[in-house]
Amino acid sequence: MEKKVVYSAVQPSGNLTIGNYIGAIRSWVKLQNDYDCFFAIADMHAITVRQEPAELRRRTLDLAALYVACGIDPEKCALYVQSHVSAHAELCWVLNTLTYVGEASRMTQFKDKSARHADNVNMGLMDYPVLMAADVLLYQTDLVPVGADQKQHLELSRDLAIRFNNRYGETFRVPEPLIERGGAKIASLQDPFKKMSKSDENPNASVFLSDDRDAILRKFKRAVTDSGDAIVASEEKPGITNLLGIYCAFKGCTMSEAEASFAGMGYGDFKLAVGETVADALAPIQAEQKRLLSEKKYLAELLAAGSERAFRAARKTLSKVYRKVGFYRE
Ligand code: TYM
């Protein structure tokens, strides 16, 4: 039987946080044995906000090494750079003609990013979710493992697939988001009502995958907590709940197991324990990423093999789309 298809991507913009790891990359690793997986480095999405070209290039390779260091097996998955497969841009164009300006401008992330980058509200920023739809639909994807913040974008992917199929006949598989219960939304360590983000201005808000042990412990030490002293997950304790969630994600335990192991402990010791768990888990990943980055040729080869594989799959869908919309072919 044919394997189901999984597609996901991360942008090489800024330093990745433990939110990106828990919400996305880590869950991909669990899927690679059972699904036909495509994991991209979304450099075309990244340029919707200004990037320093040399930095973007460096971060793209950093991210490839990170994927592998986190356990993505390039033999099992197509691991590639989005801009290496031109079909993404080509399908995006066709999907643009099916997307209403109204629906694109209503996207929460577009509104947030427009407010944050008011001097650069470019067409690409508004087109961001349409390019995501092109990414996903090109591979006839069944499942898209992402964090909760991407749910709305994937609803647009589904709508566009259905709209295209209705207009031109059955062409795209309609994808489902796969949002993990535990790690779907890791919050900022400084404001538990805000998503932990690569671009937060407060240096203590986000734990980066590249942070060393001291920085990780310091950030957890400064993490905001709640009133009272019980270490329990509840709506009244968003700070503690977030820290418990991070602990569980890295330790692989349930909330109640975590609560039981911290019963009677003070906030200070609890935060130290969470920080140590995260630092211990990240250390081997950081070491492996560093080792891989010294093997540039290996990384270049695996990305070339990945884009070759992606290209073959993408071309099939794109030819079908071009035929369906009526583009003349010999
Ligand atoms: P990016 O780079 O902004 O985020 C990458 C992934 O990390 C997840 N994520 C989080 N999960 C939990 N808690 C957080 N605090 C947190 N912050 C980020 C995001 O949900 C995402 O899964 N637009 C996508 C990249 C992309 C893509 C695609 C994804 C491009 N094309 C096609 C799926 C399918 C994005 O959010 O990148």
Side-chain angles (χ1 to χ4, degrees), residues 44 82-92 138 311 318 322:
M44 290 162 67
Q82 185 187 30
S83 66
H84 293 182
V85 180
S86 59
H88 291 253
E90 294 173 84
L91 181 58
C92 180
L138 264 181
F311 172 78
L318 190 68
Y322 278 2

Side-chain angles (χ1 to χ4, degrees), residues 11 44-49 92 96 104 109-110 113-114 120-132 153:
Q11 300 177 82
M44 290 162 67
H45 280 101
I47 61 164
T48 57
V49 302
C92 180
N96 274 335
Q109 205 170 81
F110 171 66
K113 284 195 182 170
S114 305
N120 185 22
V121 185
N122 61 74
M123 293 294 287
L125 203 56
M126 189 152 126
D127 213 20
Y128 185 110
V130 186
L131 180 58
M132 265 183 77
H153 288 165

